[in-house]
Amino acid sequence: MDALLHFLPQVWFVILGLFLFLYVLLDGFDLGVGILSLTSSDEQRRSLLMTSLGNVWDANETWLVLMAGALFGAFPLAYGTILNALYLPLMVMVVGLILRAVAFEFREHSDNKKFWNFAFGIGSFIASLFQGFALGGVLAGIKVDPAGHFIGGMWDWLSWQSLLTALTLVQGYVLIGSTYLILKTGGKLQETHFKTAKLAAWTTLIGAILITITTPIVYENARARLFHQPEVYIFALIPILGMLLIWLLLQSLNRKQEVAAFVYTALVFLLTFLGLGFIAFPYIIPPTITIYQAASSPSAMVFMITFIGVLIPIMLFYNIYNYFVFRGKVITMEEGE
C-alpha cells in the first residue's frame, strides 16, 4: 500500500503534465493565430487565418477542461488552493477565451467584421498573457498555511518575473502560430509568416534566456533545486538542447521547410515542459505542498486512471483524425482557380 500511495501521485503528475502540454501546444497555435490576426493588412488575409482554425480550435480547448477536471479529482487540495491564489488571472483568461469564441462565431454573420476581428485578436492576446501570469505566479510560489490553504494576497501573482514569463509565453504562441500558418498557407501570406516566425523565435529565445538566468537568482526554492546534484547536470543540458533546437528551427525557416519548422517548435515546447516538470517535482503547490500531501485517496486515483485510460486514446484519435481530414492549405477562390 505504501508503494501504491507513492506511485499513484507520480502517475497523475505525469498525466496532468501531458494534458497541460497538449493544451499549450494545440490551443497555443490557435491563440498565436489570433494574435497574428491583429497584424493582418486586409480582410482577405484575416479570413484565411480564421479559416485555417475553423475545424480544429474547438477540439484543442477540450484539453484545458480535461486538465482542470483531472486536477480536481487527483489533487483536490491543489485545485482549491491554486484557483484561490490565481483567481484573478484565471478569470481574466477565461474572459479572453470566451471573447475570442464569441467573436469567431459572430464574425461570420456580421456586417461589421472589423469589431469582431479586433475582439478575436484581443481575446487571444488577453488569454495568452494571463496564462503566462498564472504560470509565473505558480513558479514564484504560493503562500499556504500548514494545511495547504492559500493565505496570500490577491495580487501575489503579479511581479516583474511573472510579467517576463507572460510576455515570453505570448511570443511562444506567436511562434507556434506562425509555424502553423506556414503549414496552412501559401504565397505571400506564407512568406509573411516565415518572417514572423523568425522574429518570434528570437524574442522567445531572449525571454527564455532571461527567465533561465533570473529564476535561480530571484527564487530560493528554485535555486536549491537547480543546483542540487545530480539534477544540476540535467538542468544544464536543457538550455543547451533548447539552443540547439532554436538553431535548427531558424535553419529550417531559412530553408523554407514547412513541416520541420513546426516540428522543431513543438520540440521546443516539449523541452520547456520537461524543464518545468523537473523544477516543480514533487511539488504540486510550490514551494511547500507535494503531490503526496495533496493527493486524493488511492481508490479515487485508481478509478480516475481507469476512466482516463479509456478517454485519452479516444481524444487523441479524434484530434489526429480531425487534423488528418482537414490537412492541406487554405486558399482563396482566386488561388484555387
Side-chain angles (χ1 to χ4, degrees):
M1 179 60 71
D2 289 340
L4 192 64
L5 289 172
H6 193 75
F7 177 68
L8 285 174
Q10 294 178 4
V11 171
W12 273 105
F13 185 82
V14 173
I15 291 174
L16 285 170
L18 174 64
F19 289 165
L20 183 59
F21 170 70
L22 288 172
Y23 170 73
V24 169
L25 180 68
L26 297 178
D27 203 41
F29 70 71
D30 282 1
L31 293 167
V33 171
I35 295 168
L36 287 166
S37 71
L38 292 170
T39 66
S40 295
S41 57
D42 56 62
E43 182 59 33
Q44 185 184 41
R45 289 193 171 200
R46 195 174 293 109
S47 294
L48 285 173
L49 265 59
M50 300 186 78
T51 300
S52 72
L53 301 176
N55 298 302
V56 297
W57 74 278
D58 278 328
N60 294 341
E61 292 187 348
T62 56
W63 293 104
L64 180 63
V65 177
L66 188 60
M67 186 193 70
L71 180 63
F72 173 75
F75 303 106
L77 176 62
Y79 179 87
T81 300
I82 292 173
L83 262 65
N84 194 5
L86 304 176
Y87 181 81
L88 187 57
L90 291 178
M91 283 301 298
V92 176
M93 179 197 76
V94 170
V95 170
L97 292 174
I98 293 173
L99 180 61
R100 71 189 294 266
V102 171
F104 194 96
E105 299 297 339
F106 278 34
R107 176 186 175 278
E108 289 296 317
H109 308 286
S110 175
D111 295 328
N112 182 18
K113 293 187 183 299
K114 288 185 178 180
F115 173 79
W116 295 114
N117 289 336
F118 178 77
F120 180 75
I122 201 67
S124 300
F125 177 77
I126 289 171
S128 303
L129 186 69
F130 279 86
Q131 282 180 17
F133 275 126
L135 175 61
V138 172
L139 292 176
I142 296 174
K143 298 176 183 177
V144 296
D145 61 19
H149 301 132
F150 178 61
I151 57 173
M154 184 174 66
W155 299 96
D156 283 1
W157 53 271
L158 184 60
S159 65
W160 68 266
Q161 183 76 8
S162 67
L163 176 61
L164 176 60
T165 303
L167 293 176
T168 303
L169 183 63
V170 169
Q171 292 304 309
Y173 282 165
V174 171
L175 172 59
I176 198 167
S178 297
T179 55
Y180 172 76
L181 289 172
I182 288 170
L183 286 172
K184 300 297 290 184
T185 60
K188 293 181 179 180
L189 189 56
Q190 186 189 59
E191 287 295 322
T192 297
H193 291 110
F194 270 115
K195 295 176 183 177
T196 59
K198 290 178 186 178
L199 179 61
W202 281 109
T203 53
T204 302
L205 176 61
I206 292 169
I209 291 173
L210 291 174
I211 291 172
T212 303
I213 293 172
T214 58
T215 295
I217 296 174
V218 175
Y219 303 127
E220 183 179 351
N221 58 306
R223 181 166 62 251
R225 177 75 171 163
L226 287 171
F227 294 106
H228 182 269
Q229 292 190 5
E231 290 92 339
V232 64
Y233 301 110
I234 299 175
F235 294 132
L237 184 62
I238 289 175
I240 295 172
L241 290 175
M243 296 286 286
L244 175 62
L245 286 173
I246 290 291
W247 180 80
L248 291 171
L249 170 61
L250 291 170
Q251 290 297 310
S252 68
L253 292 171
N254 290 330
R255 295 169 183 167
K256 310 296 184 185
Q257 296 173 332
E258 299 178 4
V259 177
F262 186 83
V263 171
Y264 287 134
T265 304
L267 290 175
V268 169
F269 272 68
L270 177 60
L271 185 66
T272 303
F273 263 79
L274 290 174
L276 291 174
F278 277 120
I279 292 174
F281 185 82
Y283 296 99
I284 193 72
I285 309 175
T288 52
I289 304 299
T290 67
I291 55 176
Y292 312 110
Q293 295 171 287
S296 59
S297 66
S299 59
M301 286 190 286
V302 170
F303 175 79
M304 287 182 60
I305 285 177
T306 305
F307 173 73
I308 291 294
V310 176
L311 185 61
I312 290 177
I314 294 174
M315 290 187 63
L316 286 173
F317 173 79
Y318 173 75
N319 276 131
I320 294 169
Y321 177 76
N322 197 29
Y323 285 107
F324 177 78
V325 170
F326 296 104
R327 66 191 185 280
K329 296 183 180 294
V330 292
I331 58 174
T332 62
M333 291 299 293
E334 290 79 5
E335 289 171 329
E337 294 170 357

